[in-house]
Amino acid sequence: MMFPLTLLVTDLVTPNVSISSILPELVVALAGIVAMVYDSFFPKDRRVTGIVSLIGLLIAGVLLAMMWGDFQPVGAWNGMIAHDNLRLGFSFVFLLVTAMTILVSTVWVERENVPSGEYHALLMFATFGMMLMASGNDLVIIFLGLETLSIATYVMCGLRRGDLKSNESAMKYFILGSFASAFLLYGMALVYGATGSTNITEIAARVANANFPALLLVGGAMMVIGFGFKVATAPFHIWTPDVYEGAPTPVTGFMAAGPKAAAFASFVRVFVLGFPLIAGVQASGYLHDSWMTALTVMAILSMTVGNIVAIMQTNVKRMLAYSSIAHAGYAMVGFIGAGAAKSVVERDAAIASVAFYMLTYAITNLGAFAIVTLLGQKNDRRTEFEDYNGIGFKSPALAFTLSLFMLSLLGLPLTAGFMGKVMVFRPALQAGEPMLTLLVVIAVVNTAISAYYYLRLIVVMFFRERTSDWSAPKIPAPIVVALVVAVVGVLYLGIFAGNVIDRFSQPPPSGIASK
Amino acid sequence: MDFISQNLLTILILFPVFGAVATLAHQMFWKQESQLKWVTLGFTIVNFLLSLILVAGRGAQSANGFLYESNTPWIKAINTNFHFGVDGLSLWLVVLTTFIMPISILSTWHAVEKRPTAFYVFLLLLESAMIGVFVSLDLLVFYLFFEASLIPMFFLIGIWGGDNRIYAAVKFFIFTMLGSLLMLVAIISLYYLHLDQTGVGTFDYVTILHSLEVGKLVFAGSTGTLLFLAFALAFAIKVPLFPFHTWLPDAHTEAPTAGSVILAAVLLKMGTYGLMRFNFPLFPDASREWAFVFIILGIIGIIYGALVAMVQPDVKRLVAYSSVAHMGFVIIGMFSFTEWGMQGALYQMLNHGISTGALFLLVGFIYERRHTRQISEFGGLANVMPIYATIFVITAMSSVGLPFLNGFVGEFLIMIGMWKSAILPVSATANWNYISTMLAGTGVIFAAVYLLWMIQRVFFGKVTNEKNRTLSDLSWREIGLIAPLLALMVYMGVYPRPFLDTSEASVKAVQERVMHQAGGTVAKNGPSEK
C-alpha cells in the first residue's frame, strides 16, 4: 500500500501546475487588479485604468495567438484546463468584446461620472471569468468562472446608482442569476454523483456506465436550465429585456455579446464533449437524445419568441435584447449540429461554427450598441425608435453604419451575420436528419420575420422626416476606433471569412493530455 | 485587351461599384450635385459598351459551354468560388441590364431633388448586384447577389418613393427574403448531398450539374422535389407568380420611375432566369412533375393580372398588373418544355423588359408634368402632346403583341410551344395543352382591352381637364432616352434571329435535359459535358 502514498507525496511536492497554460487568463486578472489598485490611489483619473485594461487585453490576445501557434504549454492542472480550439476561439471573442466595450463606454464614463477604476476592474474580472468558462475542462472551474463573471456583471448593471431602472436591472439579474447558478450547481452535483468525476473528459468516458443513469438525466436537465438562463434562451429568457433595458447601454452591449458567448462555450463543452453519444450504450443514448430534444425545443422557442416579441418593441435597447434572444436560438442550431455530428472532425467544425457565430454577433452587436450609446445621451434618454426619426441624412456616417449593423444582424450577404448564419446552419443540415432540416427551415423563416424590426430602424432613420430639432452628436475618438473596428470586422468577416473560419476550426498543435 | 476579355464579367460587376465610390468621392470633394448625374451616366454607358464585348465575342465557349468563364476562389473552407460565365440564357439579360441603366439614369435628370448622391450610389450598386445574379455559376455567390440586389432597391423605394413607400419597401424586402432564405437552405443541403455522395462538397453549379448528369449524385425519395420547391419558391416570389404577386403592384407603384423601370426590366427576370438556369437542369424530374402547377398558376396570373389591370384608376398600377400577366406568359412558355416555348419565354423576358420599362418611363414623364397618374385626371392628351401620344401608343402595341413589334414574337412562340407541349395530360375528350394555350390566348385579348381602353381615356377625345392644356410635349432628352427602346421594339419584332440564335443551344440543352433524361442518370449533351 505504499504506492498511493508516494503518488500523494509527489503530487504535493511537484503539483501538476502549469502557469503557462493559463497565462492569458492571468494577464487579464492582473490587469484588473492593477486597474483597481491604481484607482484607489488616483481616483480622479479616468483614462489610465482603461488604457491599462486595454494593454492587458492586448497582451492576452498575443499570448492566445501564440498558443494557437507554436507555443506549447505543458501540464494542465490535472486536466482541469482544456487546450483546444473551443477555448481559444471563444477566448478570442471575449477579449475582443471587452476591448470594444472599454472603447464604447468612454463616452458614458465621461458623461455620467462613473467610477472608472471600479468599472474597468469589474470588466476585467468578468473577462477573466469568461475565459475560465471557456478553458475549464472541469465542472468546478466552469462554475468558478461563471460566478466570477456573474458577480462582476451584477454590479455593472447597477453602476448607474441614481437611476431606478438600473437598480431594478441589477436586482433582477442578481436574484434570478443566483437562482440559475443554484440550478447549475445542483446539476453538477448530481452529475458528479452519477459519474464520480467533475472532469468533463472523465464524465464523457463514464457516461456509458454511470452509477445511476436517472441521476445523470436529472443533473443534465438542471444544467440545461442553468446554462439556458445564462445564454438567455426561451423559456429562460424572461429576465433579459428588463435587465438589458435598465443596464447602462455599454454594459448591455457587453452582456449581450460576452457573457452569452461564455455561457455558450461552457454549455457546448459540457454537453457536446461531456455527454456524447456512445455507440451501443443505451444510457448514453437516452442522455444524448434528451438533451438534443430539449435544446431543439429551446432553439425553436428562442428564435420564435425573440423575433415575434422584438417586432412589438418601441425601445431600441429592448428590441436588441429580444433580438439577442433570437440570436441565441440561431447559435443553438449550430450547437445542435455539433451534437449530431458523426465524426470528431465534423464535431470540431460545428463547435468552431458556434464560436464563429458568436464572433460575428459580438462584433455587429457591439457596433450597434456603440451608436445607441452615443445617441442615447445622458441616462440613456434617447433610446426610443422615435428618437431615431429622420436622422439618416443628418448624420449619414452614423446612420449608414448602424444600417450596416442591422443588415448584418439580419444576415444579409457580404456582412458578417450572413457568414455566421451559413456556418451555424451547415452542421445542422450536414446531419441530414429531417428534424434538424426542419429546425433550419424554422430558423430561416424566423430570419425573414426578423427583417421586419431590423429594417424598421433603417426605415425610421431614412424614410421618415424629422419634425423636431436634432443635431448630430460629436463622435469621440474612442468610439470612432470602436466603430471602425466593427465596420471593418463586419465586412471582413462577411467577405474574407475564410481565414478566420480556418483558424477557428483548427485545433492548436499540441492538445494537452486530459489527465 | 487580354486582361479585359479574361476578366470581363468581373469587370462588369465591379465597374459600377467603382462608379459608386467615384460618385461619393466626387460629392465629398467637389460638392457639385449637378455634375453627379453626368458622372453616373458616364459609368453606366461605359459599362454598357463593355458588355457589348460579350455580344461580339459570343461563340467562343469554354469546355463547360460558357463564355468568358472565370473562376476565383472565395472561401476555401467551404469551397465556394467566384465562378462567373455567361451562355445563351444569360447573355442578353446582362446586356439588357447594362442597357437599361443609362436610360433609367437619363430618366431621373430632373426628377431627383432630394439626396441625389445616395440615389445614384444605390443605382450603381444595384447594377452590380443584378449583373452578378446573371453571371454567377456558384450557388452561394448567386445567392449573395440575389440578396444583395434587395438592399439598394429597398432604399430606392423607401427614400424616393411615393406616399405609401414604407409599406411597399418593407413588403418587397420581406417577401423576397423569405423565399430566398429557403433557397439558401436548399443550396447548403445540395452542398452536403454532393459531399456525401461524391466525397467533395461544392456550391459549384457546373460541378453539381455534371455529377447529376453522370449519375454520381442522385436525389433519393422526395429530396429532389423538396429542393426543387425551395428554389422554385424563391423564384416564384421574384417573378412574381400568381399567389405571391401582391408585393409587386405596391413596389412598382411606389417606386420612383427609375426604380420601377429597373424592377420591371431586370429584377423580375431574376426569377424566370433562376427557374431556367437552376430549377430545370438540376431537378428535371421534379420540374416535369410540378409543371402543371406552374402552368395553372401562370394562366391564373395572365387572366387575373389582366382583369385587375382593367379596373385600375392609376396608370402606373395598371402597368404593374400588366407585368403580372406578362410574366405569366413567360412562366407557361418555360414550363411547356418545348424549344419554341422556352425560346419564346426567354425572348419575352427581354420584350417585357423593354416594353414595360418603356411604359414606366412614359408614365414617369407625365407624372413629372402633372404629379398625378390618375386616368380620370387626363383626357385628350393627344391634342396637347402628339409626340408623347404616338410613342405611348407604339409602346402599348408592343406590350399587347402587335405583329412586327417585339411582343408578338415572344407571345407567338410561347403559344406554339404550349400548343405542341406534351407536359399536360391528353385524354380522348380533352387535350389540356390546347386548353391551356387557349386560356393563355385570352390574355392577349385582355391586354388589348385594358391598354387600349386606358389609351382612349387618357389620350383621345377632347381635353377635359384645363390643367392639361398647357402641358409641354416631350423634350429632346426624353425622346432621346425612349428612342433606343422604340428602335429595339421594332428591330426585335422584325428580325429576332440574332437573339434566338444566341440562346438556341443553351435552351435546347435545358429542354433536352428536362424532357429526355430520366432521373439525371443518362449522360447526354448537357451544357456541362466534359
Side-chain angles (χ1 to χ4, degrees):
Chain A
M1 295 303 283
M2 281 301 287
F3 178 63
L5 191 64
T6 37
L7 192 69
L8 186 68
V9 170
T10 47
D11 263 10
L12 279 177
V13 176
T14 55
N16 192 349
V17 164
S18 150
I19 298 295
S20 62
S21 68
I22 55 163
L23 213 49
E25 282 85 351
L26 289 181
V27 169
V28 169
L30 192 69
I33 292 168
V34 170
M36 191 167 67
V37 172
Y38 181 86
D39 184 55
S40 55
F41 289 105
F42 308 97
K44 295 266 180 264
D45 197 341
R46 292 228 177 75
R47 281 167 193 265
V48 177
T49 52
I51 293 169
V52 167
S53 311
L54 281 178
I55 292 172
L57 292 171
L58 188 70
I59 297 174
V62 171
L63 288 171
L64 265 185
M66 283 165 64
M67 288 173 86
W68 231 326
D70 302 329
F71 177 85
Q72 297 186 357
V74 276
W77 302 86
N78 273 326
M80 285 164 85
I81 297 295
H83 182 63
D84 51 15
N85 59 333
L86 193 163
R87 169 194 179 183
L88 298 181
F90 273 100
S91 299
F92 178 66
V93 177
F94 305 146
L95 295 179
L96 190 79
V97 166
T98 312
M100 297 257 301
T101 309
I102 290 173
L103 289 174
V104 171
S105 46
T106 44
V107 195
W108 167 68
V109 167
E110 300 264 328
R111 200 159 58 198
E112 306 200 9
N113 211 1
V114 175
S116 71
E118 252 173 66
Y119 172 64
H120 289 135
L122 283 170
L123 208 49
M124 295 308 276
F125 293 143
T127 313
F128 171 67
M130 294 196 288
M131 293 173 81
L132 273 191
M133 283 176 78
S135 56
N137 193 35
D138 194 294
L139 295 179
V140 175
I141 297 282
I142 289 177
F143 187 75
L144 287 177
L146 181 84
E147 283 303 285
T148 316
L149 163 69
S150 300
I151 290 166
T153 35
Y154 297 150
V155 180
M156 284 197 290
C157 283
L159 265 182
R160 222 166 44 200
R161 270 173 302 202
D163 183 40
L164 209 57
K165 269 193 172 171
S166 182
N167 282 319
E168 181 198 332
S169 161
M171 206 59 204
K172 259 192 184 150
Y173 193 25
F174 172 64
I175 292 175
L176 290 173
S178 320
F179 206 58
S181 297
F183 264 100
L184 186 65
L185 195 55
Y186 205 175
M188 288 174 171
L190 290 177
V191 170
Y192 174 68
T195 58
S197 173
T198 54
N199 184 292
I200 288 167
T201 321
E202 291 277 304
I203 291 174
R206 293 188 198 174
V207 158
N209 48 0
N211 291 336
F212 304 99
L215 268 192
L216 204 55
L217 281 178
V218 177
M222 291 194 146
M223 285 165 77
V224 167
I225 297 175
F227 281 127
F229 175 90
K230 294 290 174 189
V231 261
T233 51
F236 312 111
H237 68 286
I238 308 290
W239 59 278
T240 323
D242 286 343
V243 172
Y244 280 17
E245 191 192 358
T249 310
V251 176
T252 312
F254 172 74
M255 287 204 301
K260 189 189 281 285
F264 257 115
S266 315
F267 205 170
V268 169
R269 189 183 294 284
V270 173
F271 282 83
V272 175
L273 303 183
F275 300 149
L277 182 63
I278 299 165
V281 180
Q282 215 178 17
S284 82
Y286 280 146
L287 182 64
H288 189 262
D289 266 8
S290 325
W291 74 255
M292 288 281 282
T293 315
L295 255 59
T296 310
V297 173
M298 281 162 72
I300 294 173
L301 274 180
S302 293
M303 292 186 285
T304 317
V305 170
N307 281 321
I308 290 178
V309 183
I311 288 179
M312 303 175 210
Q313 301 307 314
T314 56
N315 180 295
V316 176
K317 269 168 86 179
R318 273 185 97 85
M319 182 273 271
L320 287 171
Y322 277 106
S323 114
S324 89
I325 295 170
H327 279 276
Y330 300 135
M332 229 164 204
V333 174
F335 182 173
I336 294 164
K342 294 180 202 87
S343 70
V344 176
V345 179
E346 279 180 24
R347 187 195 70 193
D348 284 353
I351 291 174
S353 79
V354 178
F356 180 76
Y357 189 84
M358 291 322 293
L359 176 69
T360 62
Y361 176 68
I363 204 158
T364 315
N365 208 37
L366 281 166
F369 270 104
I371 296 178
V372 175
T373 308
L374 187 62
L375 298 178
Q377 299 185 1
K378 197 163 177 175
N379 286 330
D380 293 336
R381 277 175 299 152
R382 303 260 176 265
T383 54
E384 298 290 319
F385 270 102
E386 287 165 18
D387 298 319
Y388 289 76
N389 255 358
I391 64 173
F393 288 101
K394 298 208 157 118
S395 182
L398 277 183
F400 275 110
T401 313
L402 186 54
S403 303
L404 176 71
F405 296 144
M406 288 299 126
L407 294 176
S408 173
L409 285 175
L410 173 56
L412 275 195
L414 296 181
T415 63
F418 172 68
M419 286 318 298
K421 281 216 171 85
V422 169
M423 293 312 290
V424 288
F425 292 164
R426 272 163 47 97
L429 287 173
Q430 183 168 25
E433 288 174 31
M435 268 316 287
L436 292 189
T437 311
L438 187 67
L439 179 67
V440 177
V441 170
I442 294 175
V444 299
V445 170
N446 264 295
T447 307
I449 296 175
S450 73
Y452 185 79
Y453 60 87
Y454 290 131
L455 292 184
R456 198 164 137 211
L457 201 54
I458 301 179
V459 165
V460 165
M461 287 192 298
F462 287 101
F463 302 175
R464 288 193 203 286
E465 297 299 330
R466 188 159 188 96
T467 43
S468 55
D469 273 353
W470 189 82
S471 52
K474 224 175 128 265
I475 314 175
I479 297 251
V480 173
V481 175
L483 284 180
V484 167
V485 170
V487 168
V488 171
V490 163
L491 293 176
Y492 182 83
L493 293 177
I495 301 171
F496 308 103
N499 300 333
V500 181
I501 292 170
D502 282 345
R503 193 77 272 192
F504 269 41
S505 45
Q506 190 186 343
S510 70
I512 306 170
S514 56
K515 201 162 192 179
Chain B
M1 217 42 208
D2 245 17
F3 174 78
I4 290 184
S5 65
Q6 273 163 17
N7 302 290
L8 184 60
L9 296 174
T10 317
I11 294 172
L12 282 178
I13 294 173
L14 287 181
F15 195 67
V17 176
F18 288 135
V21 175
T23 310
L24 269 181
H26 181 275
Q27 182 56 17
M28 244 174 228
F29 297 118
W30 284 280
K31 298 192 194 304
Q32 294 285 331
E33 284 193 350
S34 57
Q35 293 171 5
L36 271 181
K37 44 196 174 192
W38 289 105
V39 176
T40 323
L41 185 67
F43 272 97
T44 50
I45 287 179
V46 172
N47 216 35
F48 171 59
L49 294 177
L50 281 172
S51 74
L52 287 181
I53 301 178
L54 286 180
V55 182
R58 72 205 137 120
Q61 271 102 349
S62 70
N64 300 319
F66 289 101
L67 290 167
Y68 296 103
E69 207 177 341
S70 65
N71 203 343
T72 321
W74 177 25
I75 301 176
K76 289 212 179 81
I78 54 175
N79 191 15
T80 176
N81 308 295
F82 287 111
H83 187 180
F84 299 135
V86 290
D87 65 355
L89 299 182
S90 49
L91 192 146
W92 289 111
L93 289 168
V94 175
V95 179
L96 176 71
T97 310
T98 55
F99 169 69
I100 221 80
M101 283 312 290
I103 292 181
S104 46
I105 283 170
L106 270 172
S107 80
T108 62
W109 223 238
H110 303 299
V112 182
E113 281 144 15
K114 63 174 184 183
R115 333 235 178 263
T117 323
F119 185 83
Y120 291 115
V121 167
F122 282 130
L123 272 185
L124 287 166
L125 293 178
L126 185 59
E127 179 174 14
S128 263
M130 292 186 303
I131 296 173
V133 166
F134 293 129
V135 303
S136 294
L137 296 176
D138 183 287
L139 293 173
L140 200 68
V141 174
F142 170 77
Y143 176 83
L144 182 153
F145 285 114
F146 196 77
E147 286 277 87
S149 68
L150 283 180
I151 304 164
M153 204 44 168
F154 174 69
F155 278 100
L156 284 176
I157 299 176
I159 300 180
W160 294 275
D163 297 332
N164 204 9
R165 58 183 191 271
I166 294 177
Y167 171 76
V170 173
K171 193 172 178 183
F172 161 74
F173 196 102
I174 293 181
F175 260 64
T176 324
M177 188 171 182
L178 178 64
S180 51
L181 277 166
L182 289 174
M183 180 171 75
L184 176 65
V185 177
I187 289 174
I188 302 177
S189 299
L190 262 180
Y191 176 95
Y192 283 114
L193 286 170
H194 201 268
L195 178 67
D196 279 353
Q197 298 187 18
T198 66
V200 189
T202 182
F203 289 111
D204 193 74
Y205 166 73
V206 179
T207 315
I208 293 176
L209 186 61
H210 185 72
S211 306
L212 280 169
E213 280 173 337
V214 299
K216 275 201 291 184
L217 175 60
V218 180
F219 299 127
S222 58
T223 316
T225 309
L226 288 174
L227 292 174
F228 169 83
L229 289 178
F231 273 84
L233 180 69
F235 298 137
I237 292 176
K238 199 91 186 177
V239 170
L241 202 56
F242 162 65
F244 312 111
H245 68 282
T246 60
W247 64 267
L248 178 115
D250 290 317
H252 262 324
T253 316
E254 299 304 328
T257 302
S260 307
V261 173
I262 294 170
L263 201 55
V266 187
L267 253 67
L268 304 188
K269 307 305 173 302
M270 291 180 185
T272 39
Y273 165 77
L275 284 169
M276 194 100 118
R277 163 74 75 213
F278 299 109
N279 276 57
F280 296 169
L282 293 180
F283 319 107
D285 293 337
S287 300
R288 278 198 311 277
E289 279 165 31
W290 286 79
F292 78 99
V293 175
F294 284 82
I295 292 175
I296 293 172
L297 293 178
I299 291 173
I300 296 178
I302 293 173
I303 297 173
Y304 168 87
L307 289 178
V308 180
M310 229 177 270
V311 296
Q312 293 304 317
D314 179 319
V315 186
K316 203 171 182 186
R317 236 180 147 77
L318 184 148
V319 179
Y321 273 104
S322 83
S323 274
V324 177
H326 280 123
M327 295 312 279
F329 262 107
V330 177
I331 289 287
I332 62 166
M334 285 183 354
F335 278 92
S336 71
F337 295 125
T338 52
E339 205 190 318
W340 296 281
M342 294 169 91
Q343 281 272 39
L346 210 56
Y347 203 60
Q348 189 65 4
M349 280 155 73
L350 302 177
N351 291 338
H352 176 259
I354 290 164
S355 321
T356 311
L359 279 177
F360 275 121
L361 284 174
L362 291 164
V363 175
F365 293 162
I366 196 72
Y367 183 76
E368 274 179 44
R369 288 168 169 75
R370 279 292 317 274
H371 291 280
T372 178
R373 295 182 299 252
Q374 298 297 314
I375 296 176
S376 56
E377 287 281 316
F378 300 107
L381 276 191
N383 303 319
V384 193
M385 307 170 68
I387 303 175
Y388 179 68
T390 315
I391 295 177
F392 204 110
V393 172
I394 296 174
T395 311
M397 285 303 122
S398 137
S399 184
V400 172
L402 189 77
F404 289 116
L405 289 175
N406 56 352
F408 174 73
V409 182
E411 284 179 2
F412 189 66
L413 279 172
I414 288 172
M415 284 201 271
I416 295 181
M418 195 61 234
W419 187 268
K420 295 205 169 196
S421 171
I423 199 75
L424 293 181
V426 179
S427 69
T429 51
N431 183 332
W432 287 100
N433 298 302
Y434 294 178
I435 296 175
S436 306
T437 317
M438 285 185 268
L439 287 173
T442 60
V444 184
I445 303 169
F446 283 131
V449 173
Y450 62 75
L451 279 169
L452 292 177
W453 190 33
M454 183 264 285
I455 287 175
Q456 186 207 347
R457 283 179 290 166
V458 172
F459 291 100
F460 298 120
K462 292 203 175 88
V463 180
T464 48
N465 192 333
E466 284 308 312
K467 283 183 198 159
N468 294 333
R469 242 179 239 297
T470 52
L471 291 181
S472 57
D473 209 340
L474 296 190
S475 67
W476 282 110
R477 173 183 62 86
E478 288 167 330
I479 295 174
L481 75 96
I482 203 97
L485 292 171
L486 286 179
L488 265 180
M489 283 175 209
V490 177
Y491 181 80
M492 290 176 72
V494 177
Y495 190 56
R497 271 245 81 83
F499 298 92
L500 294 176
D501 279 353
T502 312
S503 53
E504 191 182 350
S506 310
V507 167
K508 217 180 220 165
V510 175
Q511 193 259 343
E512 281 186 5
R513 167 124 182 93
V514 176
M515 292 310 285
H516 303 302
Q517 294 181 17
T521 46
V522 188
K524 233 174 118 190
N525 48 350
S528 76
E529 194 178 41
K530 282 177 184 165

mmCIF file of all heavy atoms in Angstrom, chain B residues 10-25:
data_model
loop_
_atom_site.group_PDB
_atom_site.id
_atom_site.type_symbol
_atom_site.label_atom_id
_atom_site.label_comp_id
_atom_site.label_asym_id
_atom_site.label_seq_id
_atom_site.Cartn_x
_atom_site.Cartn_y
_atom_site.Cartn_z
ATOM 1 N N THR B 10 -16.072 39.941 -64.299
ATOM 2 C CA THR B 10 -15.700 40.564 -63.028
ATOM 3 C C THR B 10 -15.672 42.079 -63.186
ATOM 4 O O THR B 10 -16.141 42.813 -62.317
ATOM 5 C CB THR B 10 -14.309 40.063 -62.594
ATOM 6 O OG1 THR B 10 -14.260 38.664 -62.818
ATOM 7 C CG2 THR B 10 -14.055 40.359 -61.149
ATOM 8 N N ILE B 11 -15.136 42.524 -64.326
ATOM 9 C CA ILE B 11 -15.075 43.975 -64.554
ATOM 10 C C ILE B 11 -16.491 44.550 -64.636
ATOM 11 O O ILE B 11 -16.780 45.585 -64.041
ATOM 12 C CB ILE B 11 -14.299 44.280 -65.849
ATOM 13 C CG1 ILE B 11 -12.842 43.878 -65.667
ATOM 14 C CG2 ILE B 11 -14.402 45.751 -66.213
ATOM 15 C CD1 ILE B 11 -12.026 43.962 -66.923
ATOM 16 N N LEU B 12 -17.373 43.834 -65.335
ATOM 17 C CA LEU B 12 -18.743 44.331 -65.458
ATOM 18 C C LEU B 12 -19.390 44.476 -64.089
ATOM 19 O O LEU B 12 -20.169 45.397 -63.851
ATOM 20 C CB LEU B 12 -19.575 43.370 -66.304
ATOM 21 C CG LEU B 12 -19.392 43.440 -67.817
ATOM 22 C CD1 LEU B 12 -20.249 42.403 -68.495
ATOM 23 C CD2 LEU B 12 -19.748 44.820 -68.317
ATOM 24 N N ILE B 13 -19.084 43.550 -63.193
ATOM 25 C CA ILE B 13 -19.685 43.621 -61.855
ATOM 26 C C ILE B 13 -19.051 44.740 -61.044
ATOM 27 O O ILE B 13 -19.745 45.500 -60.361
ATOM 28 C CB ILE B 13 -19.531 42.283 -61.122
ATOM 29 C CG1 ILE B 13 -20.343 41.201 -61.835
ATOM 30 C CG2 ILE B 13 -19.971 42.393 -59.669
ATOM 31 C CD1 ILE B 13 -20.124 39.828 -61.290
ATOM 32 N N LEU B 14 -17.726 44.847 -61.119
ATOM 33 C CA LEU B 14 -17.038 45.780 -60.228
ATOM 34 C C LEU B 14 -17.081 47.224 -60.725
ATOM 35 O O LEU B 14 -17.022 48.155 -59.927
ATOM 36 C CB LEU B 14 -15.574 45.348 -60.036
ATOM 37 C CG LEU B 14 -15.401 44.117 -59.162
ATOM 38 C CD1 LEU B 14 -13.934 43.786 -58.998
ATOM 39 C CD2 LEU B 14 -16.040 44.332 -57.786
ATOM 40 N N PHE B 15 -17.194 47.399 -62.020
ATOM 41 C CA PHE B 15 -17.127 48.752 -62.562
ATOM 42 C C PHE B 15 -18.177 49.689 -61.950
ATOM 43 O O PHE B 15 -17.847 50.804 -61.537
ATOM 44 C CB PHE B 15 -17.239 48.704 -64.086
ATOM 45 C CG PHE B 15 -16.826 49.975 -64.752
ATOM 46 C CD1 PHE B 15 -15.506 50.396 -64.715
ATOM 47 C CD2 PHE B 15 -17.755 50.772 -65.387
ATOM 48 C CE1 PHE B 15 -15.119 51.562 -65.311
ATOM 49 C CE2 PHE B 15 -17.377 51.956 -65.986
ATOM 50 C CZ PHE B 15 -16.060 52.357 -65.954
ATOM 51 N N PRO B 16 -19.444 49.249 -61.859
ATOM 52 C CA PRO B 16 -20.417 50.132 -61.205
ATOM 53 C C PRO B 16 -20.077 50.416 -59.741
ATOM 54 O O PRO B 16 -20.371 51.503 -59.240
ATOM 55 C CB PRO B 16 -21.735 49.360 -61.312
ATOM 56 C CG PRO B 16 -21.536 48.409 -62.422
ATOM 57 C CD PRO B 16 -20.095 48.061 -62.412
ATOM 58 N N VAL B 17 -19.438 49.451 -59.072
ATOM 59 C CA VAL B 17 -19.041 49.710 -57.681
ATOM 60 C C VAL B 17 -18.011 50.829 -57.645
ATOM 61 O O VAL B 17 -18.095 51.742 -56.820
ATOM 62 C CB VAL B 17 -18.479 48.429 -57.024
ATOM 63 C CG1 VAL B 17 -17.983 48.725 -55.629
ATOM 64 C CG2 VAL B 17 -19.528 47.347 -57.003
ATOM 65 N N PHE B 18 -17.052 50.776 -58.587
ATOM 66 C CA PHE B 18 -16.092 51.886 -58.674
ATOM 67 C C PHE B 18 -16.825 53.186 -58.951
ATOM 68 O O PHE B 18 -16.498 54.238 -58.418
ATOM 69 C CB PHE B 18 -15.063 51.625 -59.778
ATOM 70 C CG PHE B 18 -14.075 50.564 -59.432
ATOM 71 C CD1 PHE B 18 -13.744 49.579 -60.342
ATOM 72 C CD2 PHE B 18 -13.496 50.525 -58.171
ATOM 73 C CE1 PHE B 18 -12.846 48.582 -60.017
ATOM 74 C CE2 PHE B 18 -12.601 49.535 -57.830
ATOM 75 C CZ PHE B 18 -12.280 48.555 -58.764
ATOM 76 N N GLY B 19 -17.844 53.059 -59.805
ATOM 77 C CA GLY B 19 -18.644 54.229 -60.117
ATOM 78 C C GLY B 19 -19.279 54.804 -58.859
ATOM 79 O O GLY B 19 -19.284 56.020 -58.656
ATOM 80 N N ALA B 20 -19.790 53.924 -58.016
ATOM 81 C CA ALA B 20 -20.424 54.375 -56.778
ATOM 82 C C ALA B 20 -19.413 55.080 -55.892
ATOM 83 O O ALA B 20 -19.679 56.149 -55.333
ATOM 84 C CB ALA B 20 -21.042 53.181 -56.052
ATOM 85 N N VAL B 21 -18.220 54.489 -55.792
ATOM 86 C CA VAL B 21 -17.174 55.111 -54.976
ATOM 87 C C VAL B 21 -16.793 56.468 -55.560
ATOM 88 O O VAL B 21 -16.656 57.461 -54.843
ATOM 89 C CB VAL B 21 -15.941 54.183 -54.891
ATOM 90 C CG1 VAL B 21 -14.804 54.877 -54.155
ATOM 91 C CG2 VAL B 21 -16.310 52.885 -54.205
ATOM 92 N N ALA B 22 -16.672 56.501 -56.888
ATOM 93 C CA ALA B 22 -16.308 57.755 -57.538
ATOM 94 C C ALA B 22 -17.377 58.809 -57.290
ATOM 95 O O ALA B 22 -17.067 59.982 -57.047
ATOM 96 C CB ALA B 22 -16.128 57.528 -59.035
ATOM 97 N N THR B 23 -18.639 58.406 -57.367
ATOM 98 C CA THR B 23 -19.724 59.352 -57.136
ATOM 99 C C THR B 23 -19.635 59.932 -55.735
ATOM 100 O O THR B 23 -19.757 61.142 -55.529
ATOM 101 C CB THR B 23 -21.075 58.638 -57.319
ATOM 102 O OG1 THR B 23 -21.047 57.942 -58.547
ATOM 103 C CG2 THR B 23 -22.213 59.621 -57.311
ATOM 104 N N LEU B 24 -19.394 59.039 -54.764
ATOM 105 C CA LEU B 24 -19.275 59.501 -53.379
ATOM 106 C C LEU B 24 -18.101 60.463 -53.236
ATOM 107 O O LEU B 24 -18.226 61.526 -52.624
ATOM 108 C CB LEU B 24 -19.048 58.301 -52.462
ATOM 109 C CG LEU B 24 -20.280 57.645 -51.862
ATOM 110 C CD1 LEU B 24 -19.864 56.498 -50.977
ATOM 111 C CD2 LEU B 24 -21.073 58.666 -51.065
ATOM 112 N N ALA B 25 -16.968 60.068 -53.824
ATOM 113 C CA ALA B 25 -15.766 60.891 -53.705
ATOM 114 C C ALA B 25 -16.005 62.244 -54.364
ATOM 115 O O ALA B 25 -15.636 63.291 -53.810
ATOM 116 C CB ALA B 25 -14.588 60.181 -54.361
#
